[in-house]
Amino acid sequence: QVQLVESGGGSVETGGSLRLSCIASDDNISRHCVGWFRQGPGKEREGVGYIQANGNAVYVESVKGRFAISRDNAINGLHLQMNDLKPEDTAMYYCAVDYGRCPPWVMGTVGQGTQVTVSQ
């Protein structure tokens, strides 16, 4: 089973930026559905966005225009560029891959997560 390792989390102030990365142990994920979801303190899991096998990207409304997911075949992984961060973006962020369907976090493989904290 593929393993995913996230990195790049940290603490930033409102309006700041972070770039999360996710590296997979499988070099075939570039052809499958990959994405990110998050879970904030006391909140339910929330999908952030994903990229379909055909390259189409889908984002949750709250991050449109601020976040961008991209594949990185050089590292067999993907990134999540987060700009104009807000305190409500504070959460543990996880990457996910599914070899059969989107969104990838429902039935696919997920990583261990990386923490993002946004202060006022």
Side-chain angles (χ1 to χ4, degrees), residues 48-114:
V48 174
Y50 58 88
I51 299 179
Q52 298 170 323
N54 62 10
N56 289 338
V58 178
Y59 298 95
V60 68
E61 190 65 33
S62 61
V63 307
K64 284 182 180 178
R66 301 189 298 123
F67 290 14
I69 299 173
S70 60
R71 295 183 186 271
D72 188 341
N73 293 336
I75 63 168
N76 297 326
L78 64 158
H79 302 287
L80 175 63
Q81 178 66 44
M82 305 185 294
N83 300 323
D84 189 22
L85 283 161
K86 304 175 181 180
E88 52 264 42
D89 294 318
T90 294
M92 185 73 80
Y93 283 72
Y94 303 85
C95 67
V97 59
D98 193 303
Y99 292 86
R101 63 186 63 82
C102 287
W105 49 81
V106 177
M107 297 290 289
T109 300
V110 303
Q112 85 290 346
T114 186

